[in-house]
Amino acid sequence: MDNPNFKSGFVAIVGRPNVGKSTFLNRVIGQKIAIMSDKAQTTRNKIQGVYTTDESQIVFLDTPGVQKPKSQLGSFMEESAMSALKDIDAVLFMVSAIEKRGAGDNFIINRLKEVKQPVYLVINKIDKVNPNDLLPIMDTYKRALDWAGVFPISALQGNNVDELLTDLTYHLPTGPQYYPADQVTDHPERFIVAELIREKIFQLTRQEIPYSVAIDVEKIRANDDGKVTIQASIILDHDSQKGIVIGKKGAMLKKIGTLARKDIEDLLGSKVFLELWVKVQPGWRDKGSVLKELGYKKKDY
């Protein structure tokens, strides 16, 4: 890197479930690398997104929403989120303008008191509240910590996101460009493909299904005709869930596949033939060996 003033750093995004961390990351990166849903616990691993300009490179870590774990998978998610506070250059603590400050926020704030690097308060979803209500919301958090900055934003509409990035870049150290300028994530294609399939299940199914599903991408193969063949299994916790995911005459599974294929084609820039199977592995969320096979590994935090 020829520019001696080039700024770079690693920035963790932490917060309670469903405050918009993944929406923010996708907005900044400019394409979908983190899945989005109105259901809690959508993000299960730390998603690393890379934002590069001529003057800087910010490597964002989007973490699982922090809440009391109820399974080995839940414990993995909490440890993954909190471990993002190690070896970073700044933290974005994201809260929702439409939710009152709660015990989960206080838990995270107490952990953030141990962080020596700049911590920003980011109040997301301001597009969903009356502007007159913003000041009282900010006052709720302002004295909780010595914030490096307080930014009300709308990750969905983009309000104040550029201003936040400008301030964040200013406070980062000078350093190297860690990734090529056109690289937006360090996750392999297999991981992102699995996440995109899982997102469609979150969006289309109900009740307990989204929280007890995992995706195992078994094969990604480029064909001679330029198309890509992908074979993946949808792993469920109970036999009773199989009928919901498959649907009447396979209608739900077909819809999941159709919507997922569109996003995967956008990601890969190729036509995709997507084959999905549904498998049941009872209690997989509490089986360490299965969690490792599905990509939830201690080395990841």
Side-chain angles (χ1 to χ4, degrees), residues 62-162:
D62 173 26
T63 61
V66 178
Q67 63 182 26
K68 187 176 180 180
K70 298 177 182 177
S71 63
Q72 278 195 45
L73 175 61
S75 297
F76 168 87
M77 290 164 64
E78 184 190 6
E79 288 296 329
S80 181
M82 295 289 71
S83 71
L85 302 180
K86 302 172 186 174
D87 303 321
I88 42 82
D89 297 287
V91 178
L92 302 183
F93 173 47
M94 189 170 290
V95 301
S96 170
I98 59 175
E99 293 179 29
K100 290 184 177 179
R101 177 176 165 182
D105 296 307
N106 295 333
F107 171 78
I108 299 169
I109 288 169
N110 283 331
R111 294 291 291 268
L112 292 174
K113 289 177 181 177
E114 303 167 16
V115 175
K116 307 299 182 190
Q117 307 304 334
V119 180
Y120 287 78
L121 173 64
V122 181
I123 303 171
N124 191 22
K125 305 189 183 182
I126 62 170
D127 52 300
K128 296 180 185 274
V129 299
N130 189 302
N132 295 329
D133 295 332
L134 262 182
L135 276 178
I137 294 169
M138 292 167 69
D139 287 340
T140 306
Y141 291 94
K142 258 191 170 177
R143 288 179 289 277
L145 206 66
D146 184 17
W147 308 107
V150 178
F151 283 84
I153 72 162
S154 168
L156 190 63
Q157 298 184 354
N159 307 40
N160 271 351
V161 171
D162 288 344

Side-chain angles (χ1 to χ4, degrees), residues 23-24 35 45 74 105 120 196 218 233:
T23 305
F24 171 79
I35 70 173
N45 302 68
D105 296 307
Y120 287 78
L196 292 174
E218 296 162 6
S233 293

Side-chain angles (χ1 to χ4, degrees), residues 29 31 50-53 57 177 179-185:
I29 300 306
Q31 70 182 73
V50 186
Y51 170 74
T52 307
T53 68
Q57 184 172 83
Q177 181 174 311
Y179 297 95
D182 59 352
Q183 185 170 338
V184 296
T185 183

Side-chain angles (χ1 to χ4, degrees), residues 8-11 49-52 56-60 165 168-169 172:
S8 65
F10 292 79
V11 176
V50 186
Y51 170 74
T52 307
S56 66
Q57 184 172 83
I58 306 175
V59 183
F60 287 100
L165 292 173
L168 185 58
T169 301
L172 288 179

Side-chain angles (χ1 to χ4, degrees), residues 182-296:
D182 59 352
Q183 185 170 338
V184 296
T185 183
D186 74 332
H187 276 293
E189 287 175 347
R190 189 176 295 261
F191 174 86
I192 304 295
V193 166
E195 288 290 274
L196 292 174
I197 297 168
R198 193 164 66 90
E199 177 186 56
K200 304 314 170 192
I201 298 169
F202 262 78
Q203 291 173 349
L204 295 172
T205 61
R206 54 186 171 78
Q207 298 173 346
E208 80 281 4
I209 297 291
Y211 309 102
S212 55
V213 66
I215 308 299
D216 183 15
V217 177
E218 296 162 6
K219 182 183 289 185
I220 299 180
R221 185 184 70 240
N223 304 321
D224 293 338
D225 59 3
K227 291 185 178 180
V228 177
T229 296
I230 297 175
Q231 296 173 337
S233 293
I234 299 171
I235 311 296
L236 299 171
D237 215 2
H238 305 290
D239 275 314
S240 60
Q241 299 166 338
K242 202 170 180 179
I244 298 171
V245 172
I246 295 174
K248 190 174 182 179
K249 297 183 178 179
M252 177 60 77
L253 188 62
K254 183 178 180 181
K255 194 170 184 181
I256 291 167
T258 299
L259 293 176
R261 189 184 71 246
K262 184 179 183 302
D263 277 355
I264 295 168
E265 287 178 341
D266 289 343
L267 173 75
L268 302 180
S270 304
K271 288 291 183 183
V272 168
F273 176 62
L274 177 62
E275 294 181 273
L276 294 178
W277 292 276
V278 179
K279 298 178 181 179
V280 178
Q281 291 196 30
W284 71 264
R285 287 175 292 177
D286 280 309
K287 293 179 180 177
S289 60
V290 178
L291 289 173
K292 287 178 184 175
E293 285 176 16
L294 294 173
Y296 305 112

